[in-house]
């Protein structure tokens, strides 16, 4: 939630300047930067898996080797991505139809924030390593520290130093630097979980890191790629329309953060019960998490609908920008119930031995549920059709994912003979 809040806070402070081009530029630039940061998450997934499995096997020296190798992997990956983003930023902005002042400001933001791509990859890797070492609280501190530093510096740099859109960019770089130092302290000093660099060992480990990292990267990339596609289509209707989309694309993850967090919360519960052969508990966990997410999403959607005009005013939205925010909050925010359901179902697939099914649903949603429906919606009903088509795609794949997850858990329950509720002694 803190990571989502950083983007939302930065957008809010820039909206105070009441310049639609700046708001739109932030949306264009963030769409590109999000791809770079998301790619870095793949290294974190590999780090957590390899370090935790080594710790579980009692091989702490191997875990320390993986810490060293994963950090080097994340560093190299971040440098490559940062160079590519910097060199081709103008081409990428043209690809998503950024024009005029908004395009100039977006490129300025990207060039300023590009060093944070390297820092972000290493920071996220350190947080994942801390989780793998069994220290999730310290991992949380690393991410929350980045968020706090960035949010505190944003208004100071934007207003006091008059840096405009460069303010949030510089704040992100400084925030990741502080978080990186905290993460290094946790891994190096607190846990002493690192070995000296041995090139032969690093090269050996890279193969295992890549085996885990590349499917994780492919799966994670569907979110920013979907956002990039919608950005490309909706930007054709002008900066004012796109500025409204930039607001809702950052507001929704914060508003529905609890529903999204549910998938991370239930993943280890599903995995542990699956490992113990308690398949009916797996099914009950799936059902209860879905009910909580549905209830929370319906309640939040009702509040957003009732306060849609007030939400637009918070971001100083007027005209077409206000229309986009009000329309989405009033009619389409409820579609996030299906997005939350899809994420919970994917958490079940990943922990029940069906990770490829999870990835297939992610790519199916973007290729079948987003691209054709958004294009068709744009033809039939302009920018409203784009947003509506995307919401319909989310609903279709959310329902498919839930049905498949129950099909898998019901099949496993038939093989299980454990009672529906076990006594404490059992």
């Amino acid at each position: 939630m803190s990571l989502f809040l950083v983007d939302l806070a930065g957008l809010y402070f820039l909206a105070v300047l009441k310049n639609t081009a700046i708001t739109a530029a932030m949306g264009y630039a963030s769409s590109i930067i999000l791809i770079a940061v998301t790619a870095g998450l793949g290294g974190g997934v590999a780090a957590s898996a390899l370090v935790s499995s080594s710790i579980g096997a009692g091989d702490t020296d191997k875990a320390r080797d993986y810490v060293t190798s994963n950090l080097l992997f994340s560093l190299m990956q971040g440098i490559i991505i940062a160079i590519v983003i910097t060199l081709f930023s103008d081409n990428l902005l043209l690809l998503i139809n950024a024009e005029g002042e908004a395009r100039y400001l977006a490129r300025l933001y990207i060039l300023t924030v590009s060093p944070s791509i390297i820092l972000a990859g290493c920071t996220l890797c350190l947080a994942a390593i801390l989780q793998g070492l069994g220290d999730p609280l310290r991992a949380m501190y690393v991410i929350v520290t980045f968020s706090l530093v960035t949010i505190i510096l944003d208004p100071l740099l934007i207003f006091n130093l008059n840096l405009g859109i460069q303010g949030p960019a510089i704040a992100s770089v400084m925030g990741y630097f502080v978080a990186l130092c905290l993460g290094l302290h946790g891994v190096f000093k607190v846990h002493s979980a690192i070995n000296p660099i041995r090139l032969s060992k690093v090269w050996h480990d890279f193969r295992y890191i890549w085996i885990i990292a590349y499917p994780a990267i492919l799966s994670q990339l569907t979110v920013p790629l979907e956002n990039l596609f919608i950005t490309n289509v909706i930007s054709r209707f002008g900066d004012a329309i796109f500025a409204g989309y930039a607001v809702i694309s950052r507001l929704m993850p914060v508003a529905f953060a609890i529903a999204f967090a549910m998938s991370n919360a239930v993943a280890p519960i599903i995995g542990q019960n699956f490992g113990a052969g308690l398949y009916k508990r797996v099914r009950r966990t799936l059902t209860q998490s879905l009910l909580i997410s549905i209830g929370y999403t319906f309640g939040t959607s009702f509040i957003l609908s009732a306060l849609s005009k007030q939400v637009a005013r918070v971001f100083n939205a007027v005209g077409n920008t206000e229309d986009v925010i009000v329309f989405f909050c009033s009619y389409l925010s409820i579609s996030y119930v299906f997005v939350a359901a899809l994420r919970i179902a994917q958490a079940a697939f990943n922990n029940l031995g069906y990770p490829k099914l999870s990835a297939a649903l992610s790519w199916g949603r973007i290729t079948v549920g987003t691209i054709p429906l958004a294009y068709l919606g744009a033809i039939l009903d302009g920018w409203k059709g784009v947003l509506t088509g995307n919401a319909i795609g989310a609903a279709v794949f959310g329902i498919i994912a839930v049905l498949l997850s129950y099909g898998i858990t019901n099949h496993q329950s038939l093989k299980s003979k454990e009672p529906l509720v076990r006594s404490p002694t059992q």
Side-chain angles (χ1 to χ4, degrees), residues 17-26 102 238-241 243-244 316 318 321:
L17 300 175
K18 298 182 179 180
N19 185 330
T20 301
I22 290 179
T23 307
M26 187 68 170
D239 282 350
I241 298 294
N316 295 300
V318 295
T321 303

Side-chain angles (χ1 to χ4, degrees), residues 76-388:
M76 292 172 59
Q77 179 181 252
I79 291 172
I80 293 170
I81 294 173
I83 291 173
V84 172
I85 291 292
T86 300
L87 292 177
F88 298 100
S89 59
D90 203 44
N91 304 79
L92 292 169
L93 288 168
L94 285 172
L95 192 64
I96 55 177
N97 300 318
E99 296 178 347
E101 185 183 5
R103 175 181 156 200
Y104 167 77
L105 291 172
R107 188 164 186 268
L108 184 64
Y109 179 91
I110 291 171
L111 294 178
T112 306
V113 82
S114 57
S116 75
I117 296 172
I118 303 171
L119 299 175
C122 293
T123 301
L124 293 170
C125 182
L126 286 165
I129 288 169
L130 287 168
Q131 288 181 325
L133 292 170
D135 195 354
L137 191 63
R138 200 177 303 276
M140 182 194 72
Y141 289 155
V142 171
I143 303 302
V144 172
T145 297
F146 157 74
S147 303
L148 287 175
V149 171
T150 306
I151 290 173
I152 290 170
L153 290 178
D154 270 350
L156 297 176
L157 296 173
I158 293 171
F159 305 120
N160 292 34
L161 297 182
N162 297 314
L163 291 175
I165 198 170
Q166 284 183 292
I170 296 172
S172 292
V173 176
M174 297 177 72
Y176 274 121
F177 178 76
V178 175
L180 178 68
C181 292
L182 185 62
L184 288 172
H185 176 267
V187 173
F188 277 73
K189 296 294 184 181
V190 177
H191 291 280
S192 300
I194 194 163
N195 277 341
I197 297 174
R198 292 176 290 177
L199 293 180
S200 60
K201 183 62 180 174
V202 168
W203 180 248
H204 175 269
D205 291 347
F206 269 22
R207 288 178 292 174
Y208 291 99
I209 293 170
W210 184 245
I211 287 171
I212 300 174
Y214 93 83
I217 291 172
L218 288 177
S219 185
Q220 294 283 350
L221 278 176
T222 57
V223 175
L225 287 177
E226 179 185 20
N227 183 59
L228 200 65
F229 171 76
I230 297 297
T231 295
N232 176 280
V233 178
I234 209 165
S235 62
R236 300 175 187 179
F237 298 97
D239 282 350
I241 298 294
F242 179 71
Y245 173 72
V247 170
I248 61 175
S249 65
R250 281 149 188 81
L251 175 62
M252 294 304 118
V254 175
F256 296 108
I258 291 177
F260 291 162
M262 187 62 64
S263 60
N264 291 330
V266 301
I269 302 173
I270 290 175
Q272 289 169 12
N273 283 287
F274 173 68
L278 305 178
Y279 304 116
K280 291 180 181 177
R281 284 189 177 181
V282 170
R283 187 176 61 186
R284 285 207 309 277
T285 302
L286 180 64
T287 299
Q288 290 167 1
S289 60
L290 284 170
L291 289 174
I292 292 172
S293 292
I294 290 170
Y296 172 80
T297 306
F298 268 97
T300 304
S301 299
F302 176 79
I303 294 171
L304 287 171
S305 178
L307 301 177
S308 58
K309 290 188 178 295
Q310 287 83 346
V311 170
R313 291 194 193 103
V314 168
F315 291 92
N316 295 300
V318 295
N320 289 333
T321 303
E322 180 185 13
D323 292 341
V324 175
I325 297 172
V326 171
F327 174 75
F328 194 92
C329 289
S330 300
Y331 303 108
L332 298 182
S333 60
I334 190 64
S335 66
Y336 271 76
V337 71
F338 301 106
V339 178
L342 174 61
R343 290 171 68 104
I344 291 172
Q346 287 179 309
F349 298 144
N350 288 332
N351 286 274
L352 294 175
Y354 295 87
K356 292 182 179 179
L357 180 57
S358 176
L361 284 167
S362 293
W363 282 96
R365 181 189 166 193
I366 186 175
T367 55
V368 179
T370 296
I371 293 176
L373 293 179
Y375 265 131
L376 181 61
I379 295 171
L380 297 177
D381 198 20
W383 62 264
K384 290 183 179 180
V386 176
L387 298 178
T388 304

